[in-house]
Amino acid sequence: MTLYATSADGTRIAYEEEGSGPPVIIVHGAMQFRAFDPTTAEMATMLASHGFTVVNYDRRGRGESPADGPITLAQTLDDLRAIIAAVTEGADDAVALFGSSSGGAISLAAAASGLPISKLVLWEVPLDEELGSQGAEFLAGLRERIAAGDGDATIEYFMKDMPREWLDGAKASPGWPIMTALGPSLEPDSEALEWTQSAPRAELWRDITQPTLALVGEETLDFMGPAADSMVAALPNAEKRVIPASDHTWEPRRMALTIAEFLVD
């Protein structure tokens, strides 16, 4: 059943809950939402079976959470704040976050902003080098294409640094029109990644003291391992773990068990 939380500006954010126990909120990465991501939905069901209330929501501008652009990181954090309040019924209880890919950067921004978060599990956050300019340059280019209203160009630009076969496969799939409609919702992903280069990470993340697990697959893009290492080096309470996975994807049962083991610990 779809439920709704109301964000600070009145936008309704759609979500669903499974299971019973400590809450875990899934923060999707680029171009993911409930109806377009069966792998995460399957993982959510399996994670719920381990004794958690798992919350899967459609980020602003996706699925059943329609919104006009521009869509910002600040709004995205407001949306997450509203989801947390709805799930905890306004109590002071903290929630765990599972941030997938660029959703991991959003999760870090949420923790740094002081949202009530107990633990973080971050899957292959695509960080560039610390204090680099790539994030700012990429964000500017993405905003240009979003403003032009060219959905195809926006997604092609967003995927330009990914393996070419990923883009070719996406363009050949029936999901391409869905992806091109999501362009404005990619701005917070890029804004969060730009934020990770805006100051020395130890300084930027000094208040993120929650236990954090940085996950990478055994077969992954070359920069994902160093990105996880950067998080472990800069976060006060983080560890890295390599799991069986490849091509920036994971097997639902394995991921659910990995998350559950870390959260229970």
Side-chain angles (χ1 to χ4, degrees):
M1 181 178 68
T2 297
L3 305 169
Y4 293 92
T6 302
S7 194
D9 64 356
T11 299
R12 293 206 314 167
I13 306 299
Y15 71 98
E16 60 189 46
E17 297 181 6
E18 288 188 77
S20 177
V24 183
I25 298 177
I26 297 170
V27 183
H28 287 286
M31 292 168 285
Q32 294 176 312
F33 61 94
R34 292 178 300 154
F36 197 56
D37 186 6
T39 299
T40 299
E42 184 179 355
M43 187 276 289
T45 298
M46 293 177 176
L47 181 57
S49 73
H50 290 295
F52 297 93
T53 297
V54 182
V55 180
N56 194 3
Y57 76 102
D58 290 342
R59 281 179 41 198
R60 178 182 292 243
R62 304 179 185 182
E64 294 185 75
S65 301
D68 295 329
I71 297 173
T72 68
L73 177 60
Q75 290 172 326
T76 300
L77 298 185
D78 282 342
D79 299 344
L80 187 51
R81 183 179 290 106
I83 293 285
I84 293 172
V87 170
T88 61
E89 297 181 339
D92 293 331
D93 299 340
V95 303
L97 298 184
F98 169 65
S100 178
S101 191
S102 52
I106 292 171
S107 299
L108 286 167
S113 73
L115 292 186
I117 295 165
S118 59
K119 291 187 177 184
L120 295 164
V121 181
L122 309 175
W123 163 252
E124 291 197 342
V125 184
L127 302 181
D128 278 311
E129 63 181 329
E130 186 171 6
L131 298 177
S133 61
Q134 302 96 324
E137 294 164 0
F138 186 89
L139 178 59
L142 182 72
R143 283 173 169 163
E144 288 178 6
R145 285 156 180 81
I146 292 173
D150 189 333
D152 284 36
T154 298
I155 303 304
E156 288 171 355
Y157 178 83
F158 192 87
M159 298 184 68
K160 69 184 181 68
D161 297 323
M162 301 178 190
R164 178 69 197 191
E165 58 268 24
W166 293 10
L167 175 59
D168 291 342
K171 294 180 77 170
S173 76
W176 181 249
I178 297 173
M179 295 171 68
T180 58
L182 299 179
S185 76
L186 296 175
E187 186 167 333
D189 299 79
S190 299
E191 193 177 348
L193 290 168
E194 185 273 337
W195 166 76
T196 68
Q197 294 183 299
S198 63
R201 286 176 179 156
E203 172 187 326
L204 198 64
W205 298 340
R206 64 175 177 265
D207 295 327
I208 306 177
T209 58
Q210 296 90 336
T212 299
L213 179 63
L215 295 172
V216 293
E218 289 178 342
E219 299 177 29
T220 189
L221 302 177
D222 290 342
F223 66 90
M224 289 298 187
D229 293 336
S230 177
M231 287 188 284
V232 171
L235 288 164
N237 191 11
E239 63 180 274
K240 174 185 173 183
R241 189 176 305 172
V242 178
I243 64 172
S246 62
D247 292 332
H248 205 39
T249 62
W250 32 264
E251 192 277 321
R253 186 178 301 277
R254 166 70 68 171
M255 181 60 79
L257 183 58
T258 299
I259 296 170
E261 288 176 340
F262 179 72
L263 295 183
V264 171
D265 193 354

